[in-house]
Amino acid sequence: MVWFKDGQPVPTAKFNAKIQDAGGYQCAVKGRERWKSAAVRLDVQYPPENTSVSVNPPGEVVEGITVTLTCSSDANPPVDDYTWYRDGGSTAISTGPQLVKDNVSRADSGQYTCRGTNKHGPQTSSPHSIDVLYPPENTSVSVNPPGEVVEGSTVTLTCSSDANPPVDDYTWYRDGGSTAISTGPQLVKDNVSRADSGQYTCWGTNKRGSQPSSAHSIDVLYAPVNVSVEVSAPDGAAGGSRVTLTCSSDANPPVDNHNYTWYKSTPGSSSPLVQVGSGGPVLFLASLQPSDAGLYVCHTRNSLGGGNSSTEVLLHVVTTNNDALISGVAVSLFVLILVIPVAFWVR
């Protein structure tokens, strides 16, 4: 007896059926192979195999597009139940041979598997990764150490952004300028100075786009410097006149009124400076007296320290001819007051 499968001789028709054994079988008497029997169809059934997931469109998945995941499986009879799972979970998220994601978002990123089932059993595919790409968002600047920035310290500004793929280019700008001052996720200011005060912005960029941060203000604090005094009568003033001395300084935070103090010393005197005023940047001498002449110094202070005026101001009190005339008249009147009564008494 000779056996044929799909018209081709086979050694025997006795076997443990496998998938590849499916086909049409015939037999014939050896030597009379021209006269084969009618074909008998052998249908080998089996559970799902080679279950897999494909994605359309292929390649990168960009936020906002439509993505279709398709599950396929080799099975006999064909799979009659497709079930979808995500990130290793045991709860189905969908059913059917296709899973469609309209307007896909970053929240859809994950590992997707499908399970194909027929009456002979199920099979689960390997996980298929969906990585949704999007341009930088929530770009921001942070400063370390936080809080006040004091002149002479080291300050590090760090730029961060939510992006996929991660930001590969950080660029720094200052005070709204269009020329980059630095690149990289960090901007380090060693020995920071008042000149570094300003508004800092960083741009985060990946291959999907760019986004700037909001401007971050750096306000460098420092103790008073360049303390100086101006006098309203630099060449001296007559007795009895009004004189104003004004103190100014460069400081951050600015000097409060109660942190101005005025001192005076008399030229040629060995006595130390004597406090003559406080409570504001202006010292008023309402009616100048000879005793007001001298060297004036202003002292200022803020929360970071204090400073004296770099030069002392010498105030002169000028004696005019009118002052001498008034003094002469006063002496004459005094003499007359004494002499006239005496004269009457003698007479």
Side-chain angles (χ1 to χ4, degrees):
M1 187 69 68
V2 180
W3 289 91
F4 298 87
K5 176 191 174 187
D6 297 331
Q8 300 299 320
V10 292
T12 179
K14 294 181 179 180
F15 45 78
N16 293 322
K18 298 181 176 60
I19 295 173
Q20 59 268 28
D21 294 324
Y25 286 83
Q26 296 170 290
C27 64
V29 176
K30 189 174 181 179
R32 296 175 177 264
E33 287 83 354
R34 292 177 58 187
W35 291 278
K36 299 182 183 72
S37 67
V40 175
R41 187 74 187 174
L42 177 64
D43 184 24
V44 180
Q45 296 191 349
Y46 50 93
E49 295 184 356
N50 304 318
T51 305
S52 63
V53 175
S54 61
V55 177
N56 188 44
E60 293 182 340
V61 177
V62 180
E63 195 167 46
I65 69 171
T66 295
V67 175
T68 301
L69 293 84
T70 301
C71 189
S72 61
S73 187
D74 179 18
N76 189 21
V79 168
D80 54 14
D81 178 33
Y82 287 101
T83 309
W84 293 88
Y85 302 89
R86 178 177 171 182
D87 297 331
S90 59
T91 302
I93 61 171
S94 185
T95 58
Q98 288 189 328
L99 176 62
V100 179
K101 292 285 186 179
D102 292 315
N103 193 25
V104 67
S105 75
R106 67 203 67 180
D108 295 315
S109 293
Q111 300 283 328
Y112 291 82
T113 56
C114 77
R115 185 179 65 190
T117 304
N118 69 3
K119 66 181 182 179
H120 297 294
Q123 187 189 48
T124 301
S125 70
S126 298
H128 189 99
S129 177
I130 296 294
D131 189 25
V132 181
L133 307 182
Y134 53 94
E137 293 186 356
N138 305 317
T139 306
S140 62
V141 175
S142 61
V143 176
N144 187 44
E148 294 182 341
V149 178
V150 180
E151 193 168 49
S153 64
T154 294
V155 175
T156 302
L157 292 83
T158 301
C159 190
S160 60
S161 187
D162 177 19
N164 190 22
V167 168
D168 53 16
D169 179 29
Y170 288 101
T171 309
W172 293 88
Y173 300 88
R174 179 177 170 182
D175 296 332
S178 58
T179 301
I181 61 170
S182 186
T183 57
Q186 289 189 326
L187 176 61
V188 180
K189 291 286 187 179
D190 293 314
N191 193 25
V192 68
S193 74
R194 68 205 68 176
D196 294 315
S197 293
Q199 300 283 328
Y200 290 83
T201 305
C202 79
W203 280 75
T205 302
N206 68 3
K207 65 180 181 179
R208 305 310 315 171
S210 299
Q211 188 192 48
S213 69
S214 299
H216 190 99
S217 177
I218 295 294
D219 187 26
V220 181
L221 308 181
Y222 51 95
V225 294
N226 302 325
V227 184
S228 63
V229 176
E230 291 185 358
V231 61
S232 61
D235 297 324
S241 61
R242 177 186 177 91
V243 174
T244 302
L245 292 90
T246 304
C247 183
S248 61
S249 66
D250 178 17
N252 189 22
V255 176
D256 292 331
N257 281 345
H258 65 273
N259 284 327
Y260 285 92
T261 308
W262 291 91
Y263 298 90
K264 170 184 172 266
S265 69
T266 302
S269 171
S270 60
S271 61
L273 292 171
V274 177
Q275 182 176 335
V276 293
S278 63
V282 179
L283 178 64
F284 295 104
L285 301 176
S287 179
L288 197 65
Q289 303 298 320
S291 59
D292 292 324
L295 293 169
Y296 286 81
V297 176
C298 171
H299 179 80
T300 62
R301 175 172 292 278
N302 67 5
S303 59
L304 299 175
N308 291 328
S309 53
S310 56
T311 58
E312 299 171 330
V313 172
L314 179 59
L315 178 61
H316 299 279
V317 178
V318 179
T319 302
T320 65
N321 291 334
N322 289 337
D323 293 334
L325 176 60
I326 293 170
S327 298
V329 171
V331 171
S332 300
L333 289 175
F334 179 74
V335 171
L336 287 175
I337 291 170
L338 291 176
V339 171
I340 291 173
V342 172
F344 277 103
W345 180 77
V346 170
R347 179 172 293 187

